[in-house]
Amino acid sequence: MADAPLRIPEADSYIGKSPVRPQARRLLDGRGSFTDDVRLPRMLHVAFLRSPHAHARIVSLDAAAARGLPGVVRVVTGKDLAGVCAGWVGTLAHFQGMKSAMQHPLARGRATWQGEPVAAVVAETRALAEDGVARLAVEWAPLPVVIDAETALDPATPVIHPDLGDNLAFSLELASGDAARAFAEADHVVRDTFWMGRHTGVTLEPRSIVAAFDPSERRLTVYHSFQAPNMMQDVLARHLGLPESHVRVICPDVGGSFGIKVHIYPDEMATCAISVLLGRPVKFVADRLESFQSDIHARDHRVTAELALRRDGTMLGMRVDDLTGIGPYSVYPRTSAVEGNQTVRLTPGVYRFRDYAARLRVVFQNKTPMCQYRAVGHPIAFAVMEAMVDRAARELGLDPVEVRRRNYVTADMYPCTSQTGYFFERLSHEECLDKLLALSDYRARCAERDRLRAEGVYRGLGLCAFIELTTPGPAFYGVGGARISSQDGCTLKLEPGGGVTCTTGVTEQGQGTDAMLAQVVATAVGVPMEQVRVLTGDTLVSPYGGGTWASRGAGIGGEAALQSGKALKGNILRVAGAMLSCEPDDLDLRRGKIVDAVTGEVRLDLAELGRVAYFRPDTLPKDFQSELTVTRHYVPRHQGFAFTNGIQLAHVEVDTGTGFVRLLGHWAVEDCGRIINPRLVDEQLRGAIVQGIGAALYEHCVYDDAGQLLTGTMADYLVPMAAEMPDIVVGHVETPTAYAEGGFKGAGEAGTAGAPGAVLNAVNDALAPLGARVTRQPITPEVVLRALGALP
Amino acid sequence: MKPAPFAYCRPATLADALDTLARHADARILAGGQSLMPALNMRLAQPGVLVDINRLPGLDGIHAGPEGLVIGALARHEAVLRSPLVVRHAPLIAQAMPHVAHLALRTRGTVGGSLALADPAAELPACAVALDAVLRVARRGGERAVPAAAFFRGIYTTALEPGEILTAVVVPPPAPGWRDRFGELARRHGDYALVAVAARCRLEGGRVAESRLVLAGVGLTPVRARRGEAALAGRPLDSAVIAEAGRALAAEIDPPSDVHASAALRRHLARVLAERTLATLATERG
Amino acid sequence: MDVRPETEMAITLTVNGVAVRRRVEARRTLVDFLREDLELTGSHVGCEHGVCGACTVKVDGALARGCLTLAVQCDGSRVETIEGVTASGELDDLKTAFAETNGLQCGFCTPAMLLTADVLLRDDPGLDADGIRRGLSGNYCRCTGYHAIVEAVLAAARLRREARRG
């Protein structure tokens, strides 16, 4: 009975419903507890001296004046941490040939990016720590900088880490079918080069950590604004030389992360090491200037693509060359190769042509390190692919919708494997397209666009179809040697009063893990959702798990919760059977009441069952043991990823006089499998879409020739604000995965995956009658006007 | 980012404020603080003393008199935005104010602060120059008046001497026939302008008798586009004339390049914005 | 009169209706004072440049950026934070609307967003979606994309108008 598939009457099921999030009230009342809200006795604050140079030798550092400042407790350099924290190298075995240099919490001898932490001042307050940093006297000897990915591999370019031999972090060549033959046979070839601007996450809550080392027991407790507490626990234990069981990582409320907070940062490692050194709690909160310089950056790519087609729009083959310039180190432990790897592997995935060749080169630069950020690689892959599709359609005089339809992987082809080895269980491209066209009244908008062109108003409509990899299995990181868990667990405990406490290894950063899991658990167990309490983010309390990344919460955490809920229900009914002297199969648990399975008559209240099980087991049969705490784990084994798919449409108006792009509307239809809470999914899509719009139009980490970051403040780096953003209409198709009982897939990144491509295509659609085209992001007024030939 | 340490005082009278400034060479005036505080937080500014002038009496009024519209230096941006007197006597400023930052900043930021900061991309300095405003400056032992055109000397540089405090900006009553229009291009609502135009024309018999075309964001100070104005002089405000003024204006300015916009972009945007602003101005009733 | 600048001073102010007296460094910002000295952690620090809006509170009845205001400037002033309006319940209609549209995710921008939205609606009860978007354009949210926030404020505006009519 516990092993049978879940059969819950619709009225008792929370799946597919949108109750308000349990956490909402607390956050609305201002009772969120974020890492900077954590205060511990004798806590100190750390501020960092960061390299002002992109590349420089540290000739000397005089800390005497800083040490003499009242309130400054210690000045720490790389040498001081050498015996405390071991360095790390950000490579994984399954990226063959990948190389990177060892990185330390504080730079030793040489800084290789502007913003790299070089020394730390620990003081009674953050302000005093900054006063101390201001008193550090450092002599720098600037070194030549590598800041152009295009020339990073030239023989004349200095090698950042001479021991590595060159500035190549990783390279890859993919070949499927026979691309050369496809191009030889083509009626038409489109070729373009795309420049995708480097940008970053700008989480509103900056990176924050409080490390508290207790020297009496050699135990480290860390409060961390982070996505993957078990990963951090593992890294800290290994690099600080502590037993794993002596490290506890607690993630309080997290004010946005989006992948920024799932990587290992030298300043956070330094903070923990300093706590070990001093035996006192130490807090580090990155201020906004530090965030721009030292949060991981992402998406700095130059992609050249060629698409071969027949005259009727059938795609025959494609070639892609992706050059991406990361920082001077590959980031630990997930590596900075993943973004490029995903870019070249995802690009052709929506379409059925088989002939595909791709080359990837990931090169080191003296810039802020780069790593996974929401929708890793997807936005670039689909901006490139879909821009090529639209261009081909235009040049061949074909309808862009029909070209997509003609080339989609269609319903009858599943299951199948993509050109680059991704397994697709079942996707719904055609359904999503049809739904999107209806939802957006696409044809009518095209007609309106055409009409307005005659009046000199240039509007554009841009489609972007995409797939999204979610709920990854162990092949993603584990096989490469990373101690990153792809499995996850859910523990459910029935409280004596009838409540259900749920602890889980997936975490919360605002996406609504609390609601999503409460809904699954309430449904599977058979209690009202209000009786379920979800706790996340404490390695001491939660089952061992992976946290949040690659949209795994619903597909993996939700499935573990479902199985755990079924098991708990089974155990509850066994107790009820023992109490009522009947077969557990004759009973059911619905809305918190034990009922007759056939008649629905209420037999027992859950609180009564709890009282007896916990306090009066003497009234139960002698050989009966109640088991009202249950744990189930889940890891996806049957497919490497549960792929999802969708399609977006952007509607823009381009002011050809000023180059400004106005967003008139945005639509998205997405298939993330069985939806647990539709409103939460819609809101994930909307937030993710706006992040993608930010990349498409506004956000750019700009460097000068000396490797100085020019967009290092909120005034210079432009994030999307409310006035410029469109209303976003969302629709859904549901193709559950058959490989997990719940059928849930991930949804967190789909919005960002498709939005930049949709906006790019819309702008190009608007500019097409004027013979202009843009292939770079962000699409600033300068980019538009240059495309129009309006600037000298 | 926490400020470097400083000492703070909040004098109760203008005389006390001036005395304090005279006594401390490294003192800065704290008015609204909306520009000074970020600089302090980032340690870009590290004054030894902050002289908080927010409680000085009588400097926050907005009133109309024979000398014109007098806006006290401590008048908050939001008060200016809501003032019917400003709508009536300085419509150019009334049009500019909604572009200034955001509500939470306008409640604290002051007119005097914006003028004394002299950010080349700010709205109020350009308006002041376009309106031939006069800035009243208090110093120990007296007061002086500085015409707006002479007040803005360079980027973040004004005619204010050490120890002086701006007390008011006076907009002289305009002669009949002036039409005002403010225009701005910014990537996001409330941002500093990429370019802004404070345009004014006085028409006589359907022709431009006098004009002011003052631009923000295209130089180190507000830039008065005299050649643009010359192209309009004595002519009707039709599209051909406006286009000529736009070309003249684009040719005469020498905008900077920065991370937000290249010189070429600013030059182009200045022309387009000026033409559109003048076109709108042309359709207004006086 | 001899005005002597001090690096530290005693201030007396009212915070959420309660008189408070503390000794603070002159350089202490209002938001740090609220968070560190008074342990009112509902106001958040996001940028310290005045751009993101997460630190927005009310000083003497008007919205203000807590990171651009010194605590010493608030001597004699009346400060209101999210904790105060939670205690009074005056924003409950807005909070309910935010909860129902899911106009918050991580919650970091939320207290400031609520205080700002409330002031916008008091100033203009008939505010439409465009007006709401412009009015909230000084409050950065990275999670929601703003759509659900605008819906929430519209819903609350409608309720307030109906309440006034009824």
Side-chain angles (χ1 to χ4, degrees):
Chain A
M1 161 210 46
D3 292 323
L6 205 59
R7 298 219 192 292
I8 308 282
E10 159 68 15
D12 291 343
S13 170
Y14 288 95
I15 308 302
K17 305 207 174 120
S18 298
V20 168
R21 275 181 65 201
Q23 309 262 30
R25 187 75 210 187
R26 183 173 66 82
L27 295 169
L28 287 162
D29 281 357
R31 288 191 169 269
S33 180
F34 299 88
T35 299
D36 188 36
D37 301 337
V38 172
R39 224 140 286 182
L40 297 176
R42 303 193 73 231
M43 188 175 73
L44 297 169
H45 298 258
V46 62
F48 291 95
L49 170 75
R50 294 179 183 274
S51 172
H53 300 287
H55 197 194
R57 210 163 38 84
I58 305 160
V59 176
S60 67
L61 192 153
D62 184 350
R67 288 204 179 95
L69 199 60
V72 169
V73 169
R74 188 83 86 106
V75 177
V76 179
T77 64
K79 223 165 14 106
D80 300 320
L81 294 184
V84 183
C85 180
W88 56 85
V89 180
T91 56
L92 285 173
H94 63 308
F95 290 120
Q96 279 197 18
M98 181 169 199
K99 58 187 193 282
S100 185
M102 176 153 295
Q103 203 178 354
H104 299 284
L106 293 173
R108 298 184 197 176
R110 180 174 68 124
T112 54
W113 46 283
Q114 183 200 28
E116 183 170 13
V118 168
V121 175
V122 190
E124 288 161 9
T125 67
R126 172 68 188 225
L128 286 168
E130 289 186 23
D131 294 346
V133 170
R135 279 166 178 72
L136 292 173
V138 187
E139 199 191 330
W140 304 93
L143 296 167
V145 297
V146 177
I147 47 104
D148 181 2
E150 300 285 354
T151 57
L153 300 177
D154 289 0
T157 300
V159 175
I160 297 174
H161 304 284
D163 289 351
L164 297 181
D166 59 29
N167 290 321
L168 183 68
F170 177 67
S171 67
L172 175 71
E173 294 206 1
L174 297 173
S176 158
D178 186 346
R181 186 200 56 207
F183 279 84
E185 292 175 358
D187 296 327
H188 193 80
V189 172
V190 255
R191 186 175 204 279
D192 249 328
T193 301
F194 300 85
W195 289 268
M196 300 309 193
R198 183 183 256 251
H199 54 282
T200 184
V202 200
T203 60
L204 185 56
E205 181 211 20
R207 292 185 299 107
S208 316
I209 190 166
V210 177
F213 184 69
D214 172 359
S216 71
E217 288 195 328
R218 289 195 64 74
R219 284 189 189 277
L220 179 66
T221 303
V222 178
Y223 297 84
H224 197 186
S225 181
F226 202 63
Q227 297 168 219
N230 280 121
M231 187 196 96
M232 188 64 173
Q233 174 197 31
D234 171 75
V235 167
L236 288 172
R238 284 187 293 109
H239 290 274
L240 295 174
L242 296 169
E244 185 178 67
S245 60
H246 281 223
V247 178
R248 177 182 184 185
V249 178
I250 300 165
C251 301
D253 290 322
V254 173
S257 56
F258 319 111
I260 301 299
K261 297 173 179 173
V262 80
H263 305 290
I264 294 304
Y265 287 91
D267 47 29
E268 294 178 1
M269 292 298 285
T271 302
C272 296
I274 290 168
S275 181
V276 172
L277 202 58
L278 300 182
R280 285 172 70 169
V282 181
K283 174 184 277 189
F284 168 61
V285 176
D287 64 36
R288 187 52 58 187
L289 301 184
E290 291 181 286
S291 295
F292 279 117
Q293 275 195 347
S294 64
D295 286 357
I296 54 105
H297 292 181
R299 315 223 225 282
D300 190 348
H301 288 246
R302 186 271 290 145
V303 180
T304 301
E306 301 173 282
L307 182 63
L309 306 103
R310 273 200 220 111
R311 196 163 293 110
D312 67 359
T314 305
M315 297 179 206
L316 298 176
M318 187 176 196
R319 287 194 282 244
V320 168
D321 187 308
D322 181 11
L323 174 68
T324 174
I326 59 174
Y329 299 98
S330 167
V331 177
Y332 183 69
R334 295 172 191 254
T335 87
S336 304
V338 174
E339 183 180 279
N341 184 54
Q342 287 184 188
T343 302
V344 294
R345 288 185 189 276
L346 289 165
T347 298
V350 169
Y351 300 110
R352 72 166 80 107
F353 65 90
R354 304 307 301 177
D355 298 325
Y356 179 71
R359 176 173 81 143
L360 167 71
R361 283 167 304 155
V362 181
V363 299
F364 294 119
Q365 299 180 103
N366 294 112
K367 293 181 182 174
T368 300
M370 238 169 63
C371 214
Q372 282 85 310
Y373 164 51
R374 195 177 201 173
V376 189
H378 295 60
I380 299 164
F382 302 117
V384 168
M385 183 76 246
E386 294 293 273
M388 304 294 281
V389 170
D390 264 20
R391 180 175 174 177
R394 187 164 292 120
E395 290 178 359
L396 291 170
L398 298 170
D399 175 6
V401 169
E402 294 318 309
V403 171
R404 286 173 170 85
R405 236 191 259 285
R406 178 181 285 276
N407 288 284
Y408 273 156
V409 175
T410 52
D412 54 309
M413 296 176 180
Y414 299 105
C416 60
T417 301
S418 84
Q419 307 89 338
T420 57
Y422 286 135
F423 174 75
F424 297 145
E425 177 194 359
R426 184 172 187 82
L427 301 175
S428 59
H429 292 299
E430 298 156 291
E431 265 187 274
C432 287
L433 173 62
D434 290 336
K435 194 153 191 171
L436 179 79
L437 297 177
L439 197 61
S440 64
D441 208 7
Y442 176 77
R443 297 294 177 195
R445 289 188 196 278
C446 287
E448 178 195 50
R449 169 202 60 195
D450 296 339
R451 225 180 343 98
L452 288 170
R453 274 178 191 163
E455 299 169 26
V457 174
Y458 294 95
R459 291 193 177 172
L461 290 151
L463 290 165
C464 186
F466 61 91
I467 53 176
E468 188 202 343
L469 59 80
T470 79
T471 60
F476 201 35
Y477 288 118
V479 302
R483 292 173 70 86
I484 290 169
S485 181
S486 56
Q487 63 81 52
D488 229 286
C490 177
T491 299
L492 297 177
K493 174 173 59 159
L494 181 72
E495 307 286 354
V500 176
T501 301
C502 167
T503 56
T504 172
V506 298
T507 52
E508 174 78 68
Q509 295 83 36
Q511 65 274 65
T513 305
D514 60 332
M516 181 262 289
L517 290 181
Q519 287 175 243
V520 171
V521 168
T523 303
V525 175
V527 296
M529 188 177 156
E530 299 68 50
Q531 277 173 234
V532 180
R533 185 177 182 207
V534 177
L535 303 171
T536 65
D538 184 340
T539 59
L540 194 60
V541 171
S542 316
Y544 200 94
T548 294
W549 43 276
S551 303
R552 65 191 295 278
I556 299 179
E559 183 66 19
L562 176 60
Q563 298 307 324
S564 195
K566 286 173 61 181
L568 180 63
K569 178 179 197 172
N571 289 5
I572 288 170
L573 293 179
R574 265 191 275 281
V575 173
M579 286 171 70
L580 298 171
S581 301
C582 65
E583 285 302 310
D585 278 347
D586 294 340
L587 302 169
D588 200 0
L589 176 54
R590 294 179 199 156
R591 303 191 199 191
K593 309 257 186 243
I594 307 295
V595 303
D596 182 289
V598 173
T599 69
E601 177 204 345
V602 175
R603 302 292 309 277
L604 201 52
D605 207 66
L606 203 51
E608 174 62 12
L609 184 147
R611 185 186 72 81
V612 168
Y614 286 115
F615 305 125
R616 295 307 310 276
D618 56 294
T619 64
L620 297 173
K622 259 210 168 78
D623 54 3
F624 184 85
Q625 295 285 341
S626 301
E627 196 61 74
L628 296 174
T629 297
V630 179
T631 299
R632 288 293 181 274
H633 288 262
Y634 176 70
V635 63
R637 293 303 311 281
H638 302 284
Q639 49 181 354
F641 303 99
F643 268 93
T644 67
N645 66 277
I647 185 163
Q648 297 185 27
L649 176 71
H651 187 202
V652 307
E653 185 171 306
V654 178
D655 182 327
T656 53
T658 62
F660 278 53
V661 174
R662 189 157 67 98
L663 300 166
L664 303 176
H666 202 102
W667 294 260
V669 173
E670 207 256 349
D671 182 347
C672 58
R674 176 162 294 113
I675 296 176
I676 299 168
N677 184 318
R679 182 176 302 110
L680 291 183
V681 172
D682 285 358
E683 291 310 310
Q684 278 298 284
L685 272 161
R686 291 192 171 109
I689 283 168
V690 168
Q691 270 186 296
I693 289 173
L697 296 177
Y698 294 100
E699 301 185 40
H700 202 179
C701 298
V702 180
Y703 284 84
D704 70 10
D705 291 340
Q708 299 281 300
L709 181 64
L710 298 176
T711 49
T713 73
M714 295 290 286
D716 296 320
Y717 184 99
L718 304 181
V719 291
M721 305 296 274
E724 288 73 36
M725 290 303 106
D727 287 344
I728 299 167
V729 179
V730 178
H732 295 285
V733 170
E734 287 186 60
T735 306
T737 171
Y739 292 122
E741 187 176 342
F744 319 127
K745 301 185 201 174
E749 298 168 271
T752 309
V759 173
L760 180 64
N761 275 348
V763 170
N764 280 329
D765 186 48
L767 296 177
L770 301 167
R773 182 170 169 71
V774 305
T775 58
R776 62 176 67 231
Q777 293 190 354
I779 306 165
T780 61
E782 177 120 15
V783 167
V784 172
L785 291 174
R786 285 206 179 279
L788 287 166
L791 294 181
Chain B
M1 306 100 62
K2 310 302 174 189
F6 54 79
Y8 166 94
C9 63
R10 191 168 64 193
T13 68
L14 184 58
D16 287 342
L18 291 167
D19 281 343
T20 312
L21 287 172
R23 242 182 302 120
H24 301 275
D26 62 345
R28 292 281 298 262
I29 293 167
L30 175 64
Q34 306 300 282
S35 300
L36 181 59
M37 284 300 302
L40 294 178
N41 288 341
M42 296 189 206
R43 300 198 179 209
L44 293 172
Q46 299 196 29
V49 176
L50 277 197
V51 180
D52 181 343
I53 62 169
N54 282 283
R55 301 279 170 104
L56 296 187
L59 292 183
D60 61 351
I62 303 170
H63 66 270
E67 71 276 49
L69 178 71
V70 180
I71 305 177
L74 284 177
R76 310 287 165 176
H77 291 311
E78 188 63 16
V80 173
L81 190 152
R82 288 163 191 259
S83 165
L85 286 177
V86 174
V87 173
R88 185 141 122 252
H89 297 285
L92 187 68
I93 292 177
Q95 289 174 32
M97 293 316 294
H99 293 279
V100 175
H102 302 283
L103 178 60
L105 296 148
R106 287 197 301 266
T107 57
R108 309 281 302 182
T110 63
V111 168
S114 174
L115 294 169
L117 175 69
D119 188 309
E123 295 84 358
L124 279 173
C127 290
V129 172
L131 289 167
D132 299 323
V134 173
L135 283 79
R136 288 192 187 148
V137 177
R139 60 211 310 199
R140 282 170 106 195
E143 209 183 64
R144 62 189 183 104
V146 182
F151 185 77
F152 302 102
R153 298 277 175 86
I155 184 166
Y156 305 128
T157 312
T158 67
L160 284 173
E161 312 230 335
E164 291 189 318
I165 299 177
L166 190 57
T167 56
V169 59
V170 183
V171 178
W178 279 101
R179 297 185 190 182
D180 295 19
R181 184 112 292 238
F182 183 87
E184 174 164 326
L185 287 172
R187 293 298 312 278
R188 303 172 306 179
H189 182 72
D191 284 353
Y192 272 109
L194 282 181
V195 292
V197 170
R200 310 182 63 218
C201 288
R202 185 171 65 79
L203 298 169
E204 264 175 18
R207 287 166 182 276
V208 176
E210 249 188 296
S211 67
R212 300 280 182 278
L213 289 180
V214 181
L215 300 162
V218 301
L220 303 172
T221 66
V223 172
R224 181 151 170 206
R226 289 190 186 271
R227 286 204 224 132
E229 293 172 10
L232 297 175
R235 305 170 78 189
L237 268 179
D238 63 33
S239 54
V241 170
I242 289 172
E244 213 184 291
R247 280 192 298 276
L249 175 155
E252 79 179 291
I253 61 176
D254 183 23
S257 272
D258 63 22
V259 74
H260 292 286
S262 65
L265 178 65
R266 285 185 198 274
R267 192 186 301 278
H268 177 95
L269 292 180
R271 180 179 61 76
V272 171
L273 182 64
E275 289 174 10
R276 290 182 185 182
T277 308
L278 286 169
T280 309
L281 193 151
T283 63
E284 275 177 13
R285 299 281 116 242
Chain C
M1 192 175 84
D2 186 24
V3 177
R4 199 164 338 160
E6 310 274 6
T7 56
E8 211 180 86
M9 52 195 21
I11 57 174
T12 307
L13 63 158
T14 308
V15 180
N16 297 326
V18 175
V20 160
R21 187 178 168 80
R22 291 285 194 283
R23 195 164 178 81
V24 294
E25 266 195 291
R27 61 171 167 170
R28 186 70 128 176
T29 61
L30 175 61
V31 70
D32 283 348
F33 173 72
L34 292 168
R35 290 178 51 77
E36 308 283 334
D37 295 287
L38 303 186
E39 296 178 308
L40 293 167
T41 57
S43 308
H44 301 133
V45 177
C47 74
E48 296 177 304
H49 334 353
V51 175
C52 77
C55 65
T56 306
V57 293
K58 285 171 83 167
V59 178
D60 295 326
L63 293 175
R65 296 286 202 234
C67 71
L68 300 186
T69 310
L70 294 172
V72 291
Q73 287 186 279
C74 297
D75 183 36
S77 283
R78 183 173 46 96
V79 176
E80 295 159 79
T81 70
I82 186 68
E83 289 89 348
V85 303
T86 292
S88 71
E90 62 200 86
L91 298 196
D92 281 358
D93 59 345
L94 260 173
K95 289 183 185 181
T96 302
F98 268 67
E100 286 173 357
T101 66
N102 207 61
L104 71 151
Q105 291 186 25
C106 77
F108 204 77
C109 76
T110 306
M113 204 60 91
L114 287 168
L115 288 171
T116 306
D118 179 57
V119 167
L120 292 175
L121 291 184
R122 280 173 204 267
D123 287 349
D124 183 358
L127 209 55
D128 64 6
D130 281 344
I132 291 167
R133 281 183 180 276
R134 270 194 308 276
L136 292 179
S137 61
N139 291 71
Y140 176 49
C141 173
R142 192 51 143 176
C143 295
T144 67
Y146 307 107
H147 183 122
I149 293 175
V150 174
E151 286 195 348
V153 179
L154 278 172
R158 221 172 297 126
L159 276 173
R160 288 188 182 187
R161 284 196 299 273
E162 278 161 26
R164 244 192 319 274
R165 264 199 299 274

